[in-house]
Amino acid sequence: MRILAIETSCDETSVALVEASGGLRNPRFRVLKNIVSSQIEAHRPFGGVVPMLAKREHLHNLPKIWKQLSKTELRLDEIAITVGPGLSPALWAGIEFSKTLAKELKKPLIGANHMEGHLYSNWLSPMGKFKNLNIKGKKVRVKFPAVALVVSGGHTILLAMKSLTSWKKLGETLDDAAGEAFDKVARMLDLPYPGGPEIEKLAKKGNSKAVNFPRPMLRDKSYDFSFSGLKTSVLYYIRDHPKAKKTDLAASFQQAVLDVLVGKTTRAAREYGAKSVLLSGGVSANQALQMALREATEKTGAEFFVPNSQFNTDNAAMIAAAAYIQKLRKKSLKLEAQPNLNL
Ligand code: KG4
Ligand code: ZN
């Protein structure tokens, strides 16, 4: 089945065309097209995403991206649209556009959950390919039980998965999401939005042991996270040490976040006997996090999965995957903006 998917929940306008096949035991996704138009430049002067500006940009970008698709690419069976979570005006822009499109093309429209999209981005093969290969070139398939860490700008969630569609939420952030902490600390260091990639760049040149920032809730029995205290510690440290090197601050902050994420995820992997550990969400683009979690996962005997680099941050290909799996489950989501939808 060919799915045209649209994603407008935050500051990326994305349209993808994905060929989906297989059942819930082994769904396969071949990404034929994944166009992402970033609004970063429009929001940068404001230091973060402005919801009404995001809506305006989506309304401007969607018809432009639509025109880039050729007639042959428009042989499709279904249209998928993100209905939440996200910014309400941004979500509505995509929903209204897809409703009109579905009517015009006389195709069914399926609502999809953005967070399920991130989770299932681990099932997307690299662009144009049918199979998922690991870094050694070996064909891989997620085995259950699995533990999944979803880390984005709005969420930090740890799941124990029995199967593709049945999971228990082990924990989530009690305050700031991991990506949000990266963005806020970046602002303290006068780095542009979005802060995650900027911190990562600086951190490569710094000493991660320079400042011993707290590792919030690392020793806590629960699987919940909290990054707000860490963010405040960085703020006070900068105030008290105005000459501290930005590279060292970035590296030390990043290390503190990584230690918590990796520590809790691998503890969960051991406790639940995970055969696979899955990382996803915008923060999963962070190479240091990927390396640390890969190494720690391999020590538990589980296999480590992270989406191909095009699918870490927001994209519509993952929305096609979420919509397809939702369809296989015979479930549906209301076609209206649901800003607080969760996993
Ligand atoms: O999943 P995503 O694209 O959008 C949301 O659903 O929120 O995630 C965006 C978040 C931002 O907070 C951004 O700073 C963070 O992901 N991010 C990173 C990196 N690339 C993006 N954080 C750390 N290191 C990165 N390389
Ligand atoms: Zn996202």
Side-chain angles (χ1 to χ4, degrees):
M1 160 189 295
R2 282 162 71 106
I3 302 175
L4 177 90
I6 298 174
E7 153 65 37
T8 66
S9 69
C10 192
D11 60 346
E12 321 276 5
T13 318
S14 180
V15 176
L17 192 64
V18 174
E19 210 170 85
S21 60
L24 285 173
R25 281 183 166 272
N26 187 21
R28 291 180 296 277
F29 301 101
R30 182 174 174 223
V31 184
L32 304 170
K33 199 132 206 172
N34 185 47
I35 304 171
V36 182
S37 166
S38 172
Q39 305 177 2
I40 284 174
E41 293 307 324
H43 296 283
R44 195 163 265 165
F46 303 95
V49 183
V50 184
M52 289 313 282
L53 181 59
K55 173 185 173 173
R56 203 185 71 191
E57 291 286 309
H58 288 311
L59 290 175
H60 176 74
N61 291 336
L62 281 169
K64 275 188 15 194
I65 299 180
W66 178 243
K67 276 193 199 138
Q68 288 178 33
L69 300 175
S70 69
K71 283 231 174 72
T72 49
E73 282 167 341
L74 296 181
R75 267 192 299 109
L76 46 102
D77 302 297
E78 309 252 358
I79 300 174
I81 176 69
T82 308
V83 294
L87 304 167
S88 192
L91 290 164
W92 273 118
I95 294 170
E96 294 298 353
F97 181 85
S98 344
K99 278 187 177 169
T100 312
L101 198 64
K103 224 185 224 170
E104 244 172 58
L105 301 177
K106 298 192 178 65
K107 299 291 173 195
L109 179 62
I110 324 171
N113 178 334
H114 181 90
M115 299 314 291
E116 288 182 8
H118 276 305
L119 179 63
Y120 295 138
S121 58
N122 274 296
W123 275 261
L124 296 173
S125 321
M127 201 71 188
K129 303 262 172 61
F130 282 110
K131 289 178 200 153
N132 238 340
L133 304 177
N134 69 9
I135 46 167
K136 291 170 195 145
K138 208 178 98 199
K139 191 173 152 192
V140 282
R141 200 166 132 185
V142 174
K143 292 194 192 94
F144 295 98
V147 161
L149 174 69
V150 190
V151 265
S152 69
H155 297 80
T156 303
I157 302 174
L158 193 59
L159 300 177
M161 301 177 77
K162 267 201 224 154
S163 72
L164 191 71
T165 55
S166 112
W167 58 70
K168 177 167 119 186
K169 192 188 282 177
L170 300 178
E172 62 190 321
T173 184
L174 303 177
D175 40 59
D176 291 351
E180 195 177 353
F182 268 95
D183 294 337
K184 287 180 177 167
V185 167
R187 220 179 298 170
M188 294 174 201
L189 298 175
D190 293 321
L191 300 170
Y193 171 84
E198 301 291 330
I199 296 253
E200 181 175 19
K201 240 188 274 169
L202 272 193
K204 280 187 187 141
K205 298 182 215 145
N207 174 5
S208 62
K209 294 200 176 91
V211 188
N212 188 18
F213 287 124
R215 271 66 174 156
M217 299 184 79
L218 180 57
R219 305 270 161 247
D220 189 84
K221 274 199 196 108
S222 81
Y223 284 112
D224 286 328
F225 301 89
S226 162
F227 293 107
S228 158
L230 168 59
K231 177 192 70 186
T232 312
S233 297
V234 179
L235 183 71
Y236 288 161
Y237 192 90
I238 297 173
R239 186 193 63 190
D240 298 339
H241 304 82
K243 294 211 174 111
K245 279 203 232 158
K246 279 189 188 183
T247 48
D248 287 348
L249 292 171
S252 302
F253 160 75
Q254 178 175 279
Q255 193 59 50
V257 177
L258 264 51
D259 284 354
V260 176
L261 294 177
V262 172
K264 294 221 166 194
T265 308
T266 40
R267 178 156 64 84
R270 286 208 167 88
E271 184 177 337
Y272 288 86
K275 291 184 179 152
S276 313
V277 169
L278 318 178
L279 174 65
S280 64
V283 182
S284 74
N286 189 291
Q287 297 289 318
L289 172 60
Q290 289 188 16
M291 258 161 51
L293 191 54
R294 180 184 300 282
E295 210 178 296
T297 296
E298 282 165 4
K299 279 190 195 143
T300 71
E303 181 136 27
F304 175 70
F305 289 79
V306 65
N308 206 263
S309 62
Q310 314 99 298
F311 309 130
N312 294 129
T313 46
D314 289 350
N315 64 86
M318 70 183 198
I319 300 306
Y324 181 71
I325 291 170
Q326 173 131 306
K327 194 181 155 75
L328 291 177
R329 294 171 80 180
K330 299 189 170 44
K331 290 208 165 178
S332 67
L333 285 168
K334 265 196 187 157
L335 291 168
E336 57 186 44
Q338 299 176 51
N340 299 318
L341 203 61
N342 206 326
L343 280 175

